[in-house]
Amino acid sequence: MATTLPMSKPKRILVSRGEFVDALAALQRGSVIVVLDDAWDACVLDGVHLRWSFPPLLTYGLIAEFDNPNGFTPLRYYRLTTTGRRFADEALAAWRAKPLLECLAIRLLG
């Protein structure tokens, strides 16, 4: 079983809502988060460094670590849980229903 990554509780639940939405969309498409070392800030999703979204995804049980026999041994891999998939479906539907200017403002302001 996996060990818990050292993480402090985030002061804000979501620092970047745009990154969070993008992460949910990529995970929903089947992408996985790759954690490069035991520091949560060293993780990548679709070749992009996740700066803020990993802790809330993990803390709220939206992602879970899985064994990747085709992966590299020191790396850790995370994908959506069943709860995460349901949450992503609802959150992305709500995001797509927002007006374009509102989405742009959210991305600019965090």
Side-chain angles (χ1 to χ4, degrees):
M1 189 66 187
T3 58
T4 305
L5 292 174
M7 288 190 304
S8 60
K9 288 261 187 200
K11 290 180 177 52
R12 283 177 50 189
I13 293 173
L14 291 177
V15 176
S16 173
R17 290 177 284 175
E19 181 190 90
F20 189 77
V21 167
D22 291 342
L24 285 175
L27 289 164
Q28 187 184 51
R29 289 190 307 269
S31 296
V32 298
I33 296 173
V34 179
V35 177
L36 306 175
D37 60 32
D38 284 339
W40 66 265
D41 61 346
C43 50
V44 176
L45 176 61
D46 279 353
V48 177
H49 178 217
L50 279 183
R51 298 178 56 98
W52 300 286
S53 299
F54 185 78
L57 287 167
L58 190 60
T59 300
Y60 292 105
L62 302 178
I63 58 171
E65 186 172 5
F66 70 98
D67 183 37
N68 185 356
N70 296 324
F72 295 100
T73 305
L75 303 180
R76 298 169 73 180
Y77 300 88
Y78 293 80
R79 64 179 162 210
L80 281 178
T81 61
T82 303
T83 301
R85 186 156 304 283
R86 283 193 305 265
F87 179 83
D89 290 343
E90 293 175 20
L92 293 171
W95 179 260
R96 290 181 193 111
K98 290 185 180 305
L100 181 60
L101 287 177
E102 184 178 349
C103 292
L104 179 60
I106 289 170
R107 286 186 178 279
L108 290 174
L109 300 174

